[in-house]
Amino acid sequence: MSWRGISLCVLVIFVVLCSAKIAHAHASMNLRNSSSNSSDTDTHQNYTQFLLTNGVARTPPMGWNSWNHFQCNIDEWTVKTTADALISTGLAALGYKYINIDDCWAEGKRDWRGNLREKPSTFPSGIKALADYVHAKGLKLGIYSDAGYKTCSKTMPGSLGHEDIDARTFAEWGIDYLKYDNCYHDGSKPLDRFARMSYALQKVARPILYAICEWGEENPAKWASRYGNAWRTTTDIKDNWESITSIADENNIWGRYAGPGRWNDPDMLEVGNGGMSLEEYRSHFSIWAIMKAPLLIGCDIRSASRETLRILGNKEVIDVNQDPLGVQARKIRSKAGLEVWAGPLSSRRVVIVLWNRSKYRAPISVGWREVGLSPSNPVSVRDLWAHSFISKSIRSRLTAHVAPHACKMYILTSI
């Protein structure tokens, strides 16, 4: 073949290859443009898979948080003695593993490198040494920061703009849980601010349970599972009946979004802080358990009464919260303050709570058909507060007389 013929062949091949490359580029661009949402979805699905496989929150987290009782009056000695009390009371053996320091633990300014610093006046040994102490007891240490320039107490810096450095610091200290609040930010979307810390945590070589505290303002149940293991669905809890009933109703709306690795969070427990009766605290604990809420004790465990410890230590109720199926129970009926809450458990069981929010003792009934059981099949009924079977063969329905502000909690098992 002549040089002219060879040159022509080379030119043809070059044109064909370039055309193919351009066509592929156009096709790829069209695919990206037409399926950018799909790509985002894949990324979110991959990240959600990371959240499920990082070894945390397969069931709702359990532990203690300093804020409800101590607020800013928190120090190293309180954290250590609370860890000791979790062990000595037997609560740790029941699953309460996280010891979470809330706001006010850090100095008001970062160091010259931009790092957060613990207050030497209240945490003289340092957070890392405290984490070592807690870990030596088989427990986990949690800490607090904020998706803004300052935390809610205004006493310490937030992590906005410092997500990567703070995530590395937390990992180096041995932190296992991060509560991330929503105060004093720049006005940007919470989704963007909370996502930044989520990606920063993903980069560090430590599984850290990420609890988003957005207060439910922009329906975090719809988006937060892409980024965190739990998300607040409500405003801050208070130690009174009106607060827990309204928060239960708010959290109930979002039940379908919860599941293993991702949980609706109606805020920490108030059991034992003194603002409610024992019956009201039992109702509070029962509803939080059935809603698969994180069970984070908010009282001073070191001085808790026997009655408080009996509520917090009810293993049968805890087992409902920690059931591996991970389905949040929902309110299925409410009339004149008489309510039925129910949800499925593993091994084809059903949990129900008959809750009397009225001022008067009243009967509350539930039919098997309402909770997905056959009315013709006999059912065993276990009372989780009496720790006994009320019957091993009931058909059709159950009725219980419930005191005001109290509840009855049962597990139903088809025979």
Side-chain angles (χ1 to χ4, degrees), residues 284-303:
H284 173 25
F285 192 67
S286 298
I287 294 297
W288 261 236
I290 203 173
M291 291 194 299
K292 303 298 187 293
L295 297 181
L296 298 175
I297 299 168
C299 69
D300 187 349
I301 301 168
R302 303 167 304 173
S303 58

Side-chain angles (χ1 to χ4, degrees), residues 187-240:
S188 60
K189 293 181 179 179
L191 187 154
D192 296 333
R193 288 181 290 108
F194 286 99
R196 269 181 258 166
M197 179 55 83
S198 181
Y199 294 133
L201 291 172
Q202 187 183 9
K203 295 174 191 175
V204 302
R206 183 173 186 82
I208 297 176
L209 192 153
Y210 183 35
I212 292 170
C213 188
E214 188 267 357
W215 318 321
E217 289 190 343
E218 294 196 22
N219 302 332
K222 292 184 176 181
W223 51 265
S225 65
R226 306 175 203 163
Y227 308 110
N229 301 108
W231 51 87
R232 279 276 298 279
T233 54
T234 70
T235 55
D236 289 354
I237 196 170
K238 296 179 181 178
D239 187 16
N240 62 62

Side-chain angles (χ1 to χ4, degrees), residues 134-165:
V134 168
H135 293 156
K137 293 184 173 294
L139 303 174
K140 298 177 183 293
L141 188 69
I143 210 160
Y144 169 97
S145 190
D146 189 283
Y149 297 119
K150 289 184 179 292
T151 62
C152 295
S153 69
K154 296 186 184 180
T155 64
M156 55 177 278
S159 293
L160 186 62
H162 294 83
E163 292 86 358
D164 286 334
I165 191 171

Side-chain angles (χ1 to χ4, degrees), residues 23-36:
H24 177 73
H26 278 298
S28 298
M29 186 177 295
N30 289 337
L31 181 60
R32 285 196 299 270
N33 289 338
S34 64
S35 63
S36 59

